[in-house]
Amino acid sequence: MNRDMYDIKHVLRYSLLVMAVLLCQACTGTDPQDITEERTTTIYLQLPQPDAGTRMSPSYETDLGKLEKKIYTLRVILLSQAGTNKSTTINRLFTNVKSGELLAIENVPVGVAQLYVIANEASIGQDYSNIANLQKQVKDVNNSRKVLITDTYNQYFPIRGSELLAAEKKKGLPMSWMNKNLTVSENMTIDVALERCVSKVLMQIQNDFSESIQIKEVSFGAFFGNSFYLFREGALDVPDQTYKGQVYDKSVDYPIAPNESEVLICYFYPSFAWPSDLVVSPYTIGFKTQYGYYPKMAFLNSDGKPYNSIPRNKQININVTLSGATHVNIDFNVVEWTNEEITVPDFE
């Protein structure tokens, strides 16, 4: 009988201990799984493979083509909501990164996270070594939080290709990619689909005169903005802003021999400068030579309608033929940003 009483007391004591533990967990809101040590892992970021080689010989275009895809710096920011403290920030900067490289990020908590990758941040005047610098740029836009970059006086873009090549300190072009809904698992590899944050104009000017011409001025309409969202969400995703025109009348004065052509390349922030057809489209281009002015003409798409926007990471090919007094023909199209040869069509 005494033995039985002992066993009953022992069971009751154990039961009370278990209940006390459960009550403590209930009071603190701690999940039993969170009592275990936080699991971390190493993840691997696969950067885009280098572009296939082109058949073009070394030139202004090919030199720029190499610079356009060059990654001088790569910043990786990971915000984790996994683990015991529910808040882990990883902020790493890589230099001299090559296309196609596999980068390892250590000590990443397993579970839900957000991943942000930024290439060549200095090209837009940024330094995110202190994560607070990026957090100050976050804005609430249509129920989404976006990083807004504002280049008030267009200090960084637009920029001509020749200026980009001539810069003493090469900074490249800004690129970015993000995954807001990442679930980190053990030793996972993530494809980082970097895309350029800017757009590109590639203009080829053909001289159909019987003698050389001097391009003294190239003028674009008011579609150059001064801000953009660092990470794209949606096909266009351009902030509201004021647009201005751009006139290149300095260091543009170069000769084009008869039946020859020259190339002008320019980079600028993505734009949505013509939201309404109640006004004239600002997507225009004009020229000045020693023979006079060539009035501004609208960029027209394949069905003859003006464009109303230029997305990021797109290349605008403009094939121009100058002939006769103030007579100009323009062929315009928006294509994927590739290092392809541009064929100048014949115009009568």
Side-chain angles (χ1 to χ4, degrees):
M1 185 67 177
N2 291 338
R3 178 64 181 176
D4 292 338
M5 289 297 295
Y6 174 81
D7 290 341
I8 292 172
K9 290 181 180 180
H10 182 72
V11 170
L12 287 173
R13 187 179 297 111
Y14 180 76
S15 299
L16 289 172
L17 180 61
V18 171
M19 289 178 64
V21 171
L22 293 175
L23 283 172
C24 287
Q25 290 178 358
C27 292
T28 59
T30 302
D31 191 305
Q33 293 179 350
D34 285 343
I35 296 176
T36 60
E37 185 177 352
E38 179 180 279
R39 287 189 301 146
T40 62
T41 187
T42 297
I43 63 174
Y44 300 90
L45 305 185
Q46 178 66 66
L47 300 184
Q49 295 294 327
D51 295 338
T54 67
R55 294 170 295 163
M56 298 170 64
S57 58
S59 67
Y60 166 66
E61 291 178 65
T62 53
D63 289 345
L64 272 177
K66 295 177 182 177
L67 189 150
E68 289 170 358
K69 59 189 177 184
K70 177 73 173 178
I71 301 174
Y72 291 93
T73 63
L74 190 81
R75 185 168 303 278
V76 177
I77 298 174
L78 187 139
L79 308 177
S80 176
Q81 288 87 49
T84 55
N85 59 11
K86 301 295 183 183
S87 179
T88 300
T89 299
I90 294 174
N91 184 357
R92 291 193 58 187
L93 183 69
F94 297 86
T95 58
N96 300 317
V97 178
K98 298 179 180 178
S99 297
E101 190 170 349
L102 194 66
L103 300 180
I105 311 295
E106 304 88 2
N107 300 318
V108 178
V110 173
V112 179
Q114 297 180 358
L115 180 61
Y116 302 90
V117 183
I118 307 163
N120 305 328
E121 61 190 40
S123 66
I124 47 175
Q126 303 300 317
D127 180 357
Y128 295 126
S129 300
N130 185 344
I131 195 67
N133 294 335
L134 185 143
Q135 292 169 334
K136 292 175 183 177
Q137 297 171 331
V138 174
K139 308 294 180 183
D140 290 318
V141 182
N142 298 325
N143 298 318
S144 180
R145 292 175 64 78
K146 298 176 179 289
V147 179
L148 176 64
I149 305 297
T150 301
D151 182 3
T152 304
Y153 302 106
N154 291 103
Q155 181 179 356
Y156 303 100
F157 292 92
I159 186 172
R160 289 183 58 193
S162 55
E163 296 173 309
L164 201 63
L165 284 174
E168 292 184 6
K169 186 175 181 180
K170 296 291 188 294
K171 299 176 182 178
L173 296 177
M175 309 176 209
S176 66
W177 176 85
M178 71 174 179
N179 186 338
K180 282 186 174 182
N181 301 293
L182 178 67
T183 300
V184 176
S185 59
E186 298 283 350
N187 301 314
M188 70 186 304
T189 298
I190 302 169
D191 288 327
V192 177
L194 282 174
E195 69 172 4
R196 301 173 188 90
C197 300
V198 293
S199 307
K200 173 185 176 181
V201 166
L202 190 156
M203 182 170 60
Q204 190 149 339
I205 307 174
Q206 174 79 15
N207 176 17
D208 268 11
F209 285 96
S210 58
E211 58 185 60
S212 295
I213 60 173
Q214 296 283 133
I215 303 297
K216 296 183 175 295
E217 179 181 293
V218 177
S219 56
F220 293 98
F223 63 87
F224 290 93
N226 63 359
S227 65
F228 72 103
Y229 294 125
L230 184 56
F231 302 98
R232 180 179 62 81
E233 296 180 89
L236 187 57
D237 203 14
V238 174
D240 293 332
Q241 60 190 310
T242 300
Y243 295 96
K244 69 175 185 179
Q246 186 74 24
V247 177
Y248 292 105
D249 57 358
K250 297 179 180 179
S251 71
V252 175
D253 192 357
Y254 52 79
I256 305 178
N259 299 314
E260 296 291 336
S261 63
E262 288 288 342
V263 170
L264 183 147
I265 292 176
C266 178
Y267 307 93
F268 59 99
Y269 299 123
S271 69
F272 182 31
W274 194 42
S276 171
D277 58 5
L278 298 178
V279 296
V280 177
S281 172
Y283 291 97
T284 60
I285 188 170
F287 304 89
K288 179 184 177 182
T289 73
Q290 73 267 37
Y291 297 113
Y293 286 97
Y294 292 75
K296 288 183 179 178
M297 297 181 65
F299 300 166
L300 303 178
N301 58 29
S302 57
D303 61 4
K305 295 181 180 179
Y307 277 81
N308 69 350
S309 60
I310 305 293
R312 72 177 65 197
N313 203 41
K314 296 291 184 180
Q315 177 172 308
I316 302 94
N317 291 336
I318 306 176
N319 296 320
V320 180
T321 300
L322 302 179
S323 61
T326 69
H327 181 67
V328 59
N329 287 296
I330 297 181
D331 178 38
F332 169 82
N333 67 313
V334 176
V335 298
E336 296 300 321
W337 192 322
T338 56
N339 295 323
E340 61 185 16
E341 294 189 54
I342 302 298
T343 302
V344 181
D346 293 328
F347 289 94
E348 298 296 335

